[in-house]
Amino acid sequence: MMFQSRSTRALRTPSLLLAIGAGLLATSAASAQPLIVACAAPAPGQNFFYTIDPETGVATQQAPTPGNAIFSALAASADGRYFAWQNGALWEINTTTWEATQLTTANGPSATCFDIIGTTGYVIPNAGDVRLYEVNLADGLTAPIGAEGQLASDLLDFYGTPVAPFIIGLGSVQGQLYGVHTSSARTNLLRIDPATGEATPLGTPNNVPASAGGGWTGFASMTGVDTDSDGVYDTLIGGVNFRNSARVGGVVRYNLTDGTFDLLSTNSTLIFFGMASAPAQAPSCSYDFNRDENVDLLDAQQMAQVFVGILTP
């Protein structure tokens, strides 16, 4: 794309290269929508990494997982790195070689759900003190958020009867965490405040299995997706593994108002364990300004004009 300057100064020599971040002026084309990275099994005992097209929900096999491990708690950071929470320890997944490297010792609770907002990770244990924990991505140390029993109390308020919280997957959209609770024949999408650990069930009780024609179970994976490539998660995508007890490898898009979902696709025989998708990297612009040979830098007035949009395609 070519740009012209409307400055009245005679600008001639191609001598100043100015790099402008997306927060100032987004001039490069939006990057392609990031793929979803998933761990899934096409058959019992066979565990592979897959990538998923977030628009179609179609999964493509990439490589066997190291040691045939099941990576059920996957998350991605804002700088495009992929992580796993595995047996209380933090791992990193190289999505070029598909190798996994353990980064920390096992410092935290066992969990099958994991997400990252900003520079902080979040997990919810499967048993014991089932509430939200924050994860320090530098050392893997964890700390509980909110009061013990917070999730159980929130579910009691919603269902009117005690249920044991059980959340297998986590994802985030616009800085809020989401996860599907499923136990005691009750399944709902929860919105979870990362600051307090408080959960808000969405929609009517047990409405998730009835979505898209009904008969769905196995809500084991979830991730936020940056569909408009602006660096912010705006859509919640998840895996739904069974329909009427048959393996279907469903990929769904959740409604963040009523907690139901739309089916994007099925991937026959797949069982999804974990999903993650990195937000689009902030685009940048490199622009070569012609300027007078006798001027070392653009003056303040010119610079102000640039930032308010005097460049036209």
Side-chain angles (χ1 to χ4, degrees):
M1 182 180 291
M2 297 297 294
F3 296 92
Q4 296 175 330
S5 171
R6 291 179 184 166
S7 170
T8 57
R9 184 186 297 273
L11 302 175
R12 295 178 308 200
T13 6
S15 54
L16 179 64
L17 183 65
L18 180 65
I20 305 173
L24 298 176
L25 184 63
T27 56
S28 62
S31 58
Q33 198 175 113
L35 294 174
I36 298 169
V37 172
C39 176
Q46 299 177 16
N47 303 311
F48 288 80
F49 286 119
Y50 285 76
T51 53
I52 302 172
D53 185 316
E55 292 186 348
T56 65
V58 174
T60 302
Q61 190 178 107
Q62 297 298 329
T65 62
N68 201 37
I70 295 175
F71 291 95
S72 57
L74 296 175
S77 60
D79 59 359
R81 299 168 67 191
Y82 285 81
F83 297 90
W85 185 255
Q86 194 81 343
N87 300 318
L90 188 65
W91 292 62
E92 183 167 5
I93 310 297
N94 184 318
T95 56
T96 300
T97 64
W98 299 105
E99 296 175 342
T101 303
Q102 185 171 345
L103 301 179
T104 69
T105 56
N107 295 316
S110 178
T112 58
C113 60
F114 182 37
D115 196 58
I116 295 172
I117 299 177
T119 58
T120 302
Y122 297 91
V123 298
I124 298 176
N126 299 124
D129 186 6
V130 182
R131 56 175 155 168
L132 186 65
Y133 281 69
E134 66 177 12
V135 179
N136 186 317
L137 299 180
D139 54 22
L141 295 177
T142 61
I145 297 174
E148 185 174 359
Q150 179 69 61
L151 288 177
S153 176
D154 294 334
L155 292 174
L156 174 61
D157 291 343
F158 181 68
Y159 292 119
T161 187
V163 297
F166 188 70
I167 299 169
I168 310 176
L170 274 181
S172 58
V173 173
Q174 300 289 346
Q176 292 291 299
L177 291 164
Y178 293 85
V180 171
H181 156 79
T182 180
S183 73
S184 305
R186 291 171 175 83
T187 303
N188 278 88
L189 181 66
L190 310 182
R191 180 185 295 118
I192 304 170
D193 187 328
T196 66
E198 296 177 354
T200 302
L202 303 180
T204 57
N206 206 39
N207 66 347
V208 172
S211 299
W216 302 96
T217 55
F219 307 94
S221 52
M222 183 173 289
T223 183
V225 176
D226 176 16
T227 62
D228 56 9
S229 301
D230 65 352
V232 178
Y233 293 127
D234 54 74
T235 300
L236 189 66
I237 300 292
V240 183
N241 290 326
F242 302 96
R243 189 172 199 186
N244 299 321
S245 300
R247 296 168 65 118
V248 295
V251 177
V252 305
R253 179 177 51 239
Y254 284 94
N255 182 313
L256 301 185
T257 300
D258 64 15
T260 60
F261 62 76
D262 296 321
L263 180 66
L264 295 180
S265 75
T266 57
N267 297 271
S268 181
T269 78
L270 281 186
I271 299 294
F272 290 111
F273 299 117
M275 291 182 179
S277 180
Q281 302 302 293
S284 61
C285 166
S286 291
Y287 183 79
D288 193 1
F289 289 94
N290 293 326
R291 64 172 178 84
D292 266 319
E293 295 171 340
N294 297 325
V295 178
D296 293 329
L297 293 172
L298 292 176
D299 60 41
Q301 182 179 7
Q302 285 180 289
M303 188 65 76
Q305 288 175 323
V306 170
F307 290 148
V308 298
I310 64 165
L311 301 179
T312 58

